[in-house]
Amino acid sequence: MADASPPLHPDIAPLAFLLGTWRGAGKGDYPTIEDFEYGEEVRFWHVGKPFLAYAQRTWDPNERRPLHAETGYWRLPGGGDRVELVLAHPSGVVEIEEGSLAGTRIELTTTTVATTTAAKSVSALRRLLDVDGDGLRYELDMAAVGVPMTHHLQASLRREPDA
Amino acid sequence: MADASPPLHPDIAPLAFLLGTWRGAGKGDYPTIEDFEYGEEVRFWHVGKPFLAYAQRTWDPNERRPLHAETGYWRLPGGGDRVELVLAHPSGVVEIEEGSLAGTRIELTTTTVATTTAAKSVSALRRLLDVDGDGLRYELDMAAVGVPMTHHLQASLRREPDA
């Protein structure tokens, strides 16, 4: 097994404010669907290399059934202010988002999206993520099914105390 | 939290032989680098939806430092024999692999690869994965840095007993 707690790679030190497990709730809307609410868990961790590993999942707050999930890696090449996010989605989509870091605020926009042969959905996303201490808020806009970039999700999460 | 052990979605029932945590060792070679050995952990799990979640990591068996990692989702659309794998790599690469399932043997080839602005490496992969009971063997060929599709990795993993 790899060392469980190596030092953070200096390239991603400016992203240290993301580390940990975050849980909370969000609300979704879109012109083509009914409004909905969801529970969410987001985890950021590192292994001493120049990236943060990332896994996210949401669930229906009433029935507990899983809704969305995504997983991938966050990069900050050269320790600068340009953020790169590589993502896989279980709908058969891979996606790259790029954008900027300013303090503890990150803005990202889809730059590449590709799908498997059987995948149906293709969308482009825009994310605004803002951390204040142990609080994380994000907003996500989506362009999909012929609808231009439109507000889709917003959520407020709290960082879990260290286990 | 989502239900921890929902029933397996029927579309991915033919992939149930992958479920669990696998650990073992592998060997790597390539025309442009020195031969190397690695330790590896692979996890496949599900949440009741039509995909398997997947996370993999390798490490240097001597120094314990992490080497490669990848994460994503395995799909078997309609429960047929066509396998789709969507992957994110921490090198700033997203990749789609597609191929076929025959019994407990899976062959996959890269169909799409895309990189972030700062990413350097682009490669295409071919995987052959074979499960026999609690043993998993794979071979991986790679085309990269001007070298055509060439043998790169082979490993033997064992499924861990249920926790």
PDB file of all heavy atoms in Angstrom, chain B residues 47-80:
ATOM      1  N   VAL B  47     -23.938   0.669  -7.250  1.00  0.00           N
ATOM      2  CA  VAL B  47     -24.913   1.358  -6.398  1.00  0.00           C
ATOM      3  C   VAL B  47     -26.345   1.037  -6.822  1.00  0.00           C
ATOM      4  O   VAL B  47     -27.273   1.751  -6.452  1.00  0.00           O
ATOM      5  CB  VAL B  47     -24.699   2.892  -6.406  1.00  0.00           C
ATOM      6  CG1 VAL B  47     -23.343   3.245  -5.795  1.00  0.00           C
ATOM      7  CG2 VAL B  47     -24.828   3.469  -7.827  1.00  0.00           C
ATOM      8  N   GLY B  48     -26.514  -0.016  -7.628  1.00  0.00           N
ATOM      9  CA  GLY B  48     -27.852  -0.391  -8.081  1.00  0.00           C
ATOM     10  C   GLY B  48     -28.212   0.199  -9.441  1.00  0.00           C
ATOM     11  O   GLY B  48     -29.295  -0.080  -9.966  1.00  0.00           O
ATOM     12  N   LYS B  49     -27.325   1.000  -9.984  1.00  0.00           N
ATOM     13  CA  LYS B  49     -27.577   1.592 -11.305  1.00  0.00           C
ATOM     14  C   LYS B  49     -26.767   0.829 -12.371  1.00  0.00           C
ATOM     15  O   LYS B  49     -25.922   0.000 -12.040  1.00  0.00           O
ATOM     16  CB  LYS B  49     -27.227   3.078 -11.262  1.00  0.00           C
ATOM     17  CG  LYS B  49     -28.117   3.835 -10.258  1.00  0.00           C
ATOM     18  CD  LYS B  49     -27.932   5.328 -10.324  1.00  0.00           C
ATOM     19  CE  LYS B  49     -28.675   5.947 -11.483  1.00  0.00           C
ATOM     20  NZ  LYS B  49     -28.722   7.429 -11.393  1.00  0.00           N
ATOM     21  N   PRO B  50     -27.031   1.117 -13.664  1.00  0.00           N
ATOM     22  CA  PRO B  50     -26.433   0.268 -14.717  1.00  0.00           C
ATOM     23  C   PRO B  50     -24.979   0.612 -15.039  1.00  0.00           C
ATOM     24  O   PRO B  50     -24.636   0.860 -16.194  1.00  0.00           O
ATOM     25  CB  PRO B  50     -27.357   0.512 -15.918  1.00  0.00           C
ATOM     26  CG  PRO B  50     -27.891   1.878 -15.692  1.00  0.00           C
ATOM     27  CD  PRO B  50     -28.044   2.033 -14.204  1.00  0.00           C
ATOM     28  N   PHE B  51     -24.139   0.609 -14.025  1.00  0.00           N
ATOM     29  CA  PHE B  51     -22.698   0.766 -14.248  1.00  0.00           C
ATOM     30  C   PHE B  51     -21.949   0.216 -13.049  1.00  0.00           C
ATOM     31  O   PHE B  51     -22.504   0.115 -11.949  1.00  0.00           O
ATOM     32  CB  PHE B  51     -22.329   2.240 -14.479  1.00  0.00           C
ATOM     33  CG  PHE B  51     -22.691   3.149 -13.330  1.00  0.00           C
ATOM     34  CD1 PHE B  51     -21.838   3.305 -12.232  1.00  0.00           C
ATOM     35  CD2 PHE B  51     -23.898   3.845 -13.329  1.00  0.00           C
ATOM     36  CE1 PHE B  51     -22.173   4.122 -11.172  1.00  0.00           C
ATOM     37  CE2 PHE B  51     -24.243   4.667 -12.249  1.00  0.00           C
ATOM     38  CZ  PHE B  51     -23.377   4.803 -11.176  1.00  0.00           C
ATOM     39  N   LEU B  52     -20.698  -0.157 -13.265  1.00  0.00           N
ATOM     40  CA  LEU B  52     -19.788  -0.461 -12.158  1.00  0.00           C
ATOM     41  C   LEU B  52     -18.868   0.743 -11.977  1.00  0.00           C
ATOM     42  O   LEU B  52     -18.286   1.243 -12.945  1.00  0.00           O
ATOM     43  CB  LEU B  52     -18.923  -1.682 -12.478  1.00  0.00           C
ATOM     44  CG  LEU B  52     -19.609  -3.027 -12.627  1.00  0.00           C
ATOM     45  CD1 LEU B  52     -18.549  -4.123 -12.814  1.00  0.00           C
ATOM     46  CD2 LEU B  52     -20.473  -3.356 -11.414  1.00  0.00           C
ATOM     47  N   ALA B  53     -18.737   1.208 -10.734  1.00  0.00           N
ATOM     48  CA  ALA B  53     -17.731   2.228 -10.427  1.00  0.00           C
ATOM     49  C   ALA B  53     -16.384   1.535 -10.275  1.00  0.00           C
ATOM     50  O   ALA B  53     -16.308   0.363  -9.869  1.00  0.00           O
ATOM     51  CB  ALA B  53     -18.106   2.967  -9.143  1.00  0.00           C
ATOM     52  N   TYR B  54     -15.327   2.253 -10.608  1.00  0.00           N
ATOM     53  CA  TYR B  54     -14.001   1.642 -10.758  1.00  0.00           C
ATOM     54  C   TYR B  54     -12.928   2.602 -10.275  1.00  0.00           C
ATOM     55  O   TYR B  54     -12.931   3.782 -10.634  1.00  0.00           O
ATOM     56  CB  TYR B  54     -13.790   1.328 -12.239  1.00  0.00           C
ATOM     57  CG  TYR B  54     -12.395   0.968 -12.676  1.00  0.00           C
ATOM     58  CD1 TYR B  54     -11.831  -0.260 -12.346  1.00  0.00           C
ATOM     59  CD2 TYR B  54     -11.649   1.847 -13.447  1.00  0.00           C
ATOM     60  CE1 TYR B  54     -10.557  -0.600 -12.774  1.00  0.00           C
ATOM     61  CE2 TYR B  54     -10.366   1.513 -13.884  1.00  0.00           C
ATOM     62  CZ  TYR B  54      -9.831   0.289 -13.545  1.00  0.00           C
ATOM     63  OH  TYR B  54      -8.579  -0.052 -13.963  1.00  0.00           O
ATOM     64  N   ALA B  55     -12.022   2.116  -9.453  1.00  0.00           N
ATOM     65  CA  ALA B  55     -10.863   2.918  -9.049  1.00  0.00           C
ATOM     66  C   ALA B  55      -9.663   1.994  -8.976  1.00  0.00           C
ATOM     67  O   ALA B  55      -9.747   0.874  -8.463  1.00  0.00           O
ATOM     68  CB  ALA B  55     -11.104   3.583  -7.700  1.00  0.00           C
ATOM     69  N   GLN B  56      -8.536   2.466  -9.489  1.00  0.00           N
ATOM     70  CA  GLN B  56      -7.328   1.660  -9.565  1.00  0.00           C
ATOM     71  C   GLN B  56      -6.158   2.516  -9.121  1.00  0.00           C
ATOM     72  O   GLN B  56      -6.145   3.723  -9.342  1.00  0.00           O
ATOM     73  CB  GLN B  56      -7.140   1.221 -11.029  1.00  0.00           C
ATOM     74  CG  GLN B  56      -5.948   0.331 -11.283  1.00  0.00           C
ATOM     75  CD  GLN B  56      -4.748   1.094 -11.819  1.00  0.00           C
ATOM     76  OE1 GLN B  56      -4.628   2.303 -11.633  1.00  0.00           O
ATOM     77  NE2 GLN B  56      -3.846   0.386 -12.457  1.00  0.00           N
ATOM     78  N   ARG B  57      -5.177   1.893  -8.448  1.00  0.00           N
ATOM     79  CA  ARG B  57      -3.932   2.609  -8.143  1.00  0.00           C
ATOM     80  C   ARG B  57      -2.800   1.602  -8.052  1.00  0.00           C
ATOM     81  O   ARG B  57      -3.005   0.439  -7.703  1.00  0.00           O
ATOM     82  CB  ARG B  57      -4.047   3.424  -6.856  1.00  0.00           C
ATOM     83  CG  ARG B  57      -4.305   2.599  -5.627  1.00  0.00           C
ATOM     84  CD  ARG B  57      -4.790   3.465  -4.471  1.00  0.00           C
ATOM     85  NE  ARG B  57      -4.951   2.642  -3.301  1.00  0.00           N
ATOM     86  CZ  ARG B  57      -3.993   2.423  -2.387  1.00  0.00           C
ATOM     87  NH1 ARG B  57      -2.812   3.010  -2.498  1.00  0.00           N
ATOM     88  NH2 ARG B  57      -4.218   1.636  -1.355  1.00  0.00           N
ATOM     89  N   THR B  58      -1.616   2.049  -8.415  1.00  0.00           N
ATOM     90  CA  THR B  58      -0.432   1.203  -8.325  1.00  0.00           C
ATOM     91  C   THR B  58       0.635   1.935  -7.524  1.00  0.00           C
ATOM     92  O   THR B  58       0.566   3.150  -7.338  1.00  0.00           O
ATOM     93  CB  THR B  58       0.129   0.860  -9.725  1.00  0.00           C
ATOM     94  OG1 THR B  58       0.588   2.051 -10.359  1.00  0.00           O
ATOM     95  CG2 THR B  58      -0.914   0.194 -10.594  1.00  0.00           C
ATOM     96  N   TRP B  59       1.604   1.161  -7.027  1.00  0.00           N
ATOM     97  CA  TRP B  59       2.661   1.774  -6.246  1.00  0.00           C
ATOM     98  C   TRP B  59       3.962   1.003  -6.460  1.00  0.00           C
ATOM     99  O   TRP B  59       3.955  -0.178  -6.857  1.00  0.00           O
ATOM    100  CB  TRP B  59       2.307   1.817  -4.758  1.00  0.00           C
ATOM    101  CG  TRP B  59       1.964   0.475  -4.177  1.00  0.00           C
ATOM    102  CD1 TRP B  59       2.822  -0.443  -3.648  1.00  0.00           C
ATOM    103  CD2 TRP B  59       0.656  -0.120  -4.094  1.00  0.00           C
ATOM    104  NE1 TRP B  59       2.144  -1.560  -3.235  1.00  0.00           N
ATOM    105  CE2 TRP B  59       0.819  -1.392  -3.495  1.00  0.00           C
ATOM    106  CE3 TRP B  59      -0.637   0.315  -4.457  1.00  0.00           C
ATOM    107  CZ2 TRP B  59      -0.265  -2.226  -3.258  1.00  0.00           C
ATOM    108  CZ3 TRP B  59      -1.719  -0.541  -4.227  1.00  0.00           C
ATOM    109  CH2 TRP B  59      -1.520  -1.789  -3.630  1.00  0.00           C
ATOM    110  N   ASP B  60       5.055   1.691  -6.190  1.00  0.00           N
ATOM    111  CA  ASP B  60       6.381   1.095  -6.239  1.00  0.00           C
ATOM    112  C   ASP B  60       6.504   0.107  -5.079  1.00  0.00           C
ATOM    113  O   ASP B  60       6.272   0.481  -3.926  1.00  0.00           O
ATOM    114  CB  ASP B  60       7.409   2.226  -6.111  1.00  0.00           C
ATOM    115  CG  ASP B  60       8.825   1.716  -6.190  1.00  0.00           C
ATOM    116  OD1 ASP B  60       9.213   0.925  -5.301  1.00  0.00           O
ATOM    117  OD2 ASP B  60       9.548   2.107  -7.109  1.00  0.00           O
ATOM    118  N   PRO B  61       6.838  -1.156  -5.350  1.00  0.00           N
ATOM    119  CA  PRO B  61       6.827  -2.153  -4.270  1.00  0.00           C
ATOM    120  C   PRO B  61       7.941  -1.937  -3.250  1.00  0.00           C
ATOM    121  O   PRO B  61       7.856  -2.464  -2.137  1.00  0.00           O
ATOM    122  CB  PRO B  61       7.014  -3.478  -5.009  1.00  0.00           C
ATOM    123  CG  PRO B  61       7.648  -3.122  -6.302  1.00  0.00           C
ATOM    124  CD  PRO B  61       7.199  -1.733  -6.645  1.00  0.00           C
ATOM    125  N   ASN B  62       8.959  -1.161  -3.583  1.00  0.00           N
ATOM    126  CA  ASN B  62      10.048  -0.922  -2.630  1.00  0.00           C
ATOM    127  C   ASN B  62       9.836   0.361  -1.832  1.00  0.00           C
ATOM    128  O   ASN B  62       9.787   0.352  -0.610  1.00  0.00           O
ATOM    129  CB  ASN B  62      11.383  -0.861  -3.380  1.00  0.00           C
ATOM    130  CG  ASN B  62      11.646  -2.165  -4.124  1.00  0.00           C
ATOM    131  OD1 ASN B  62      11.518  -3.244  -3.556  1.00  0.00           O
ATOM    132  ND2 ASN B  62      11.973  -2.068  -5.402  1.00  0.00           N
ATOM    133  N   GLU B  63       9.684   1.458  -2.550  1.00  0.00           N
ATOM    134  CA  GLU B  63       9.570   2.751  -1.867  1.00  0.00           C
ATOM    135  C   GLU B  63       8.148   3.057  -1.411  1.00  0.00           C
ATOM    136  O   GLU B  63       7.914   4.043  -0.721  1.00  0.00           O
ATOM    137  CB  GLU B  63      10.012   3.880  -2.799  1.00  0.00           C
ATOM    138  CG  GLU B  63      11.399   3.712  -3.382  1.00  0.00           C
ATOM    139  CD  GLU B  63      11.605   4.716  -4.526  1.00  0.00           C
ATOM    140  OE1 GLU B  63      11.115   5.844  -4.419  1.00  0.00           O
ATOM    141  OE2 GLU B  63      12.236   4.344  -5.525  1.00  0.00           O
ATOM    142  N   ARG B  64       7.172   2.251  -1.867  1.00  0.00           N
ATOM    143  CA  ARG B  64       5.765   2.451  -1.506  1.00  0.00           C
ATOM    144  C   ARG B  64       5.162   3.712  -2.115  1.00  0.00           C
ATOM    145  O   ARG B  64       3.998   4.015  -1.856  1.00  0.00           O
ATOM    146  CB  ARG B  64       5.547   2.527   0.024  1.00  0.00           C
ATOM    147  CG  ARG B  64       6.015   1.308   0.782  1.00  0.00           C
ATOM    148  CD  ARG B  64       5.369   0.070   0.239  1.00  0.00           C
ATOM    149  NE  ARG B  64       5.192  -0.963   1.229  1.00  0.00           N
ATOM    150  CZ  ARG B  64       4.950  -2.242   0.927  1.00  0.00           C
ATOM    151  NH1 ARG B  64       4.894  -2.624  -0.345  1.00  0.00           N
ATOM    152  NH2 ARG B  64       4.769  -3.131   1.872  1.00  0.00           N
ATOM    153  N   ARG B  65       5.907   4.467  -2.912  1.00  0.00           N
ATOM    154  CA  ARG B  65       5.326   5.703  -3.457  1.00  0.00           C
ATOM    155  C   ARG B  65       4.326   5.352  -4.557  1.00  0.00           C
ATOM    156  O   ARG B  65       4.481   4.373  -5.284  1.00  0.00           O
ATOM    157  CB  ARG B  65       6.418   6.633  -3.973  1.00  0.00           C
ATOM    158  CG  ARG B  65       7.071   6.188  -5.233  1.00  0.00           C
ATOM    159  CD  ARG B  65       8.294   7.023  -5.598  1.00  0.00           C
ATOM    160  NE  ARG B  65       9.094   6.259  -6.538  1.00  0.00           N
ATOM    161  CZ  ARG B  65       8.880   6.251  -7.865  1.00  0.00           C
ATOM    162  NH1 ARG B  65       7.925   6.996  -8.377  1.00  0.00           N
ATOM    163  NH2 ARG B  65       9.621   5.512  -8.662  1.00  0.00           N
ATOM    164  N   PRO B  66       3.266   6.174  -4.691  1.00  0.00           N
ATOM    165  CA  PRO B  66       2.246   5.891  -5.697  1.00  0.00           C
ATOM    166  C   PRO B  66       2.793   6.068  -7.105  1.00  0.00           C
ATOM    167  O   PRO B  66       3.603   6.961  -7.359  1.00  0.00           O
ATOM    168  CB  PRO B  66       1.146   6.902  -5.401  1.00  0.00           C
ATOM    169  CG  PRO B  66       1.801   7.988  -4.627  1.00  0.00           C
ATOM    170  CD  PRO B  66       2.949   7.357  -3.892  1.00  0.00           C
ATOM    171  N   LEU B  67       2.341   5.219  -8.024  1.00  0.00           N
ATOM    172  CA  LEU B  67       2.727   5.322  -9.433  1.00  0.00           C
ATOM    173  C   LEU B  67       1.500   5.795 -10.226  1.00  0.00           C
ATOM    174  O   LEU B  67       1.166   6.956 -10.193  1.00  0.00           O
ATOM    175  CB  LEU B  67       3.262   3.975  -9.938  1.00  0.00           C
ATOM    176  CG  LEU B  67       4.536   3.479  -9.243  1.00  0.00           C
ATOM    177  CD1 LEU B  67       4.884   2.061  -9.698  1.00  0.00           C
ATOM    178  CD2 LEU B  67       5.707   4.412  -9.535  1.00  0.00           C
ATOM    179  N   HIS B  68       0.817   4.890 -10.879  1.00  0.00           N
ATOM    180  CA  HIS B  68      -0.325   5.262 -11.702  1.00  0.00           C
ATOM    181  C   HIS B  68      -1.618   5.251 -10.877  1.00  0.00           C
ATOM    182  O   HIS B  68      -1.696   4.639  -9.820  1.00  0.00           O
ATOM    183  CB  HIS B  68      -0.434   4.258 -12.865  1.00  0.00           C
ATOM    184  CG  HIS B  68      -1.531   4.574 -13.823  1.00  0.00           C
ATOM    185  ND1 HIS B  68      -1.423   5.591 -14.747  1.00  0.00           N
ATOM    186  CD2 HIS B  68      -2.754   4.027 -14.008  1.00  0.00           C
ATOM    187  CE1 HIS B  68      -2.539   5.650 -15.455  1.00  0.00           C
ATOM    188  NE2 HIS B  68      -3.357   4.713 -15.027  1.00  0.00           N
ATOM    189  N   ALA B  69      -2.622   5.917 -11.388  1.00  0.00           N
ATOM    190  CA  ALA B  69      -3.989   5.783 -10.870  1.00  0.00           C
ATOM    191  C   ALA B  69      -4.938   6.058 -12.023  1.00  0.00           C
ATOM    192  O   ALA B  69      -4.578   6.732 -12.988  1.00  0.00           O
ATOM    193  CB  ALA B  69      -4.250   6.763  -9.729  1.00  0.00           C
ATOM    194  N   GLU B  70      -6.138   5.501 -11.919  1.00  0.00           N
ATOM    195  CA  GLU B  70      -7.184   5.840 -12.878  1.00  0.00           C
ATOM    196  C   GLU B  70      -8.526   5.557 -12.222  1.00  0.00           C
ATOM    197  O   GLU B  70      -8.615   4.751 -11.284  1.00  0.00           O
ATOM    198  CB  GLU B  70      -7.032   5.058 -14.194  1.00  0.00           C
ATOM    199  CG  GLU B  70      -7.124   3.565 -14.038  1.00  0.00           C
ATOM    200  CD  GLU B  70      -6.761   2.780 -15.307  1.00  0.00           C
ATOM    201  OE1 GLU B  70      -5.921   3.252 -16.090  1.00  0.00           O
ATOM    202  OE2 GLU B  70      -7.316   1.683 -15.495  1.00  0.00           O
ATOM    203  N   THR B  71      -9.566   6.229 -12.685  1.00  0.00           N
ATOM    204  CA  THR B  71     -10.893   6.039 -12.090  1.00  0.00           C
ATOM    205  C   THR B  71     -11.946   6.272 -13.156  1.00  0.00           C
ATOM    206  O   THR B  71     -11.708   6.992 -14.122  1.00  0.00           O
ATOM    207  CB  THR B  71     -11.091   6.979 -10.885  1.00  0.00           C
ATOM    208  OG1 THR B  71     -12.334   6.689 -10.258  1.00  0.00           O
ATOM    209  CG2 THR B  71     -11.067   8.437 -11.290  1.00  0.00           C
ATOM    210  N   GLY B  72     -13.095   5.619 -12.991  1.00  0.00           N
ATOM    211  CA  GLY B  72     -14.157   5.784 -13.975  1.00  0.00           C
ATOM    212  C   GLY B  72     -15.280   4.794 -13.765  1.00  0.00           C
ATOM    213  O   GLY B  72     -15.533   4.358 -12.632  1.00  0.00           O
ATOM    214  N   TYR B  73     -15.943   4.444 -14.850  1.00  0.00           N
ATOM    215  CA  TYR B  73     -17.128   3.600 -14.784  1.00  0.00           C
ATOM    216  C   TYR B  73     -17.135   2.604 -15.948  1.00  0.00           C
ATOM    217  O   TYR B  73     -16.723   2.936 -17.056  1.00  0.00           O
ATOM    218  CB  TYR B  73     -18.404   4.453 -14.851  1.00  0.00           C
ATOM    219  CG  TYR B  73     -18.460   5.489 -13.768  1.00  0.00           C
ATOM    220  CD1 TYR B  73     -18.048   6.800 -14.001  1.00  0.00           C
ATOM    221  CD2 TYR B  73     -18.878   5.171 -12.482  1.00  0.00           C
ATOM    222  CE1 TYR B  73     -18.059   7.760 -12.994  1.00  0.00           C
ATOM    223  CE2 TYR B  73     -18.898   6.114 -11.465  1.00  0.00           C
ATOM    224  CZ  TYR B  73     -18.489   7.412 -11.735  1.00  0.00           C
ATOM    225  OH  TYR B  73     -18.492   8.344 -10.732  1.00  0.00           O
ATOM    226  N   TRP B  74     -17.600   1.392 -15.651  1.00  0.00           N
ATOM    227  CA  TRP B  74     -17.765   0.336 -16.663  1.00  0.00           C
ATOM    228  C   TRP B  74     -19.246   0.177 -16.950  1.00  0.00           C
ATOM    229  O   TRP B  74     -20.069   0.123 -16.033  1.00  0.00           O
ATOM    230  CB  TRP B  74     -17.197  -0.996 -16.143  1.00  0.00           C
ATOM    231  CG  TRP B  74     -15.728  -0.998 -15.899  1.00  0.00           C
ATOM    232  CD1 TRP B  74     -15.054  -0.236 -14.987  1.00  0.00           C
ATOM    233  CD2 TRP B  74     -14.740  -1.792 -16.566  1.00  0.00           C
ATOM    234  NE1 TRP B  74     -13.703  -0.510 -15.054  1.00  0.00           N
ATOM    235  CE2 TRP B  74     -13.490  -1.471 -16.009  1.00  0.00           C
ATOM    236  CE3 TRP B  74     -14.804  -2.761 -17.578  1.00  0.00           C
ATOM    237  CZ2 TRP B  74     -12.302  -2.073 -16.425  1.00  0.00           C
ATOM    238  CZ3 TRP B  74     -13.617  -3.364 -17.993  1.00  0.00           C
ATOM    239  CH2 TRP B  74     -12.383  -3.009 -17.415  1.00  0.00           C
ATOM    240  N   ARG B  75     -19.583   0.082 -18.220  1.00  0.00           N
ATOM    241  CA  ARG B  75     -20.968  -0.053 -18.652  1.00  0.00           C
ATOM    242  C   ARG B  75     -21.105  -1.252 -19.597  1.00  0.00           C
ATOM    243  O   ARG B  75     -20.149  -1.631 -20.272  1.00  0.00           O
ATOM    244  CB  ARG B  75     -21.404   1.216 -19.404  1.00  0.00           C
ATOM    245  CG  ARG B  75     -21.486   2.453 -18.541  1.00  0.00           C
ATOM    246  CD  ARG B  75     -21.299   3.747 -19.326  1.00  0.00           C
ATOM    247  NE  ARG B  75     -22.034   3.781 -20.572  1.00  0.00           N
ATOM    248  CZ  ARG B  75     -23.275   4.243 -20.714  1.00  0.00           C
ATOM    249  NH1 ARG B  75     -23.924   4.716 -19.665  1.00  0.00           N
ATOM    250  NH2 ARG B  75     -23.866   4.243 -21.892  1.00  0.00           N
ATOM    251  N   LEU B  76     -22.329  -1.775 -19.633  1.00  0.00           N
ATOM    252  CA  LEU B  76     -22.627  -2.885 -20.529  1.00  0.00           C
ATOM    253  C   LEU B  76     -24.024  -2.586 -21.082  1.00  0.00           C
ATOM    254  O   LEU B  76     -25.012  -3.156 -20.618  1.00  0.00           O
ATOM    255  CB  LEU B  76     -22.609  -4.196 -19.737  1.00  0.00           C
ATOM    256  CG  LEU B  76     -22.522  -5.501 -20.517  1.00  0.00           C
ATOM    257  CD1 LEU B  76     -21.165  -5.643 -21.203  1.00  0.00           C
ATOM    258  CD2 LEU B  76     -22.747  -6.670 -19.569  1.00  0.00           C
ATOM    259  N   PRO B  77     -24.106  -1.668 -22.046  1.00  0.00           N
ATOM    260  CA  PRO B  77     -25.424  -1.142 -22.454  1.00  0.00           C
ATOM    261  C   PRO B  77     -26.385  -2.244 -22.863  1.00  0.00           C
ATOM    262  O   PRO B  77     -26.046  -3.112 -23.681  1.00  0.00           O
ATOM    263  CB  PRO B  77     -25.077  -0.226 -23.634  1.00  0.00           C
ATOM    264  CG  PRO B  77     -23.659   0.191 -23.380  1.00  0.00           C
ATOM    265  CD  PRO B  77     -23.011  -1.028 -22.773  1.00  0.00           C
ATOM    266  N   GLY B  78     -27.550  -2.217 -22.257  1.00  0.00           N
ATOM    267  CA  GLY B  78     -28.577  -3.202 -22.570  1.00  0.00           C
ATOM    268  C   GLY B  78     -28.256  -4.605 -22.104  1.00  0.00           C
ATOM    269  O   GLY B  78     -28.959  -5.552 -22.442  1.00  0.00           O
ATOM    270  N   GLY B  79     -27.199  -4.750 -21.320  1.00  0.00           N
ATOM    271  CA  GLY B  79     -26.839  -6.068 -20.833  1.00  0.00           C
ATOM    272  C   GLY B  79     -26.250  -6.974 -21.897  1.00  0.00           C
ATOM    273  O   GLY B  79     -26.188  -8.198 -21.734  1.00  0.00           O
ATOM    274  N   GLY B  80     -25.813  -6.393 -22.992  1.00  0.00           N
ATOM    275  CA  GLY B  80     -25.252  -7.181 -24.097  1.00  0.00           C
ATOM    276  C   GLY B  80     -23.805  -7.563 -23.868  1.00  0.00           C
ATOM    277  O   GLY B  80     -23.368  -7.724 -22.719  1.00  0.00           O
TER     278      GLY B  80
END
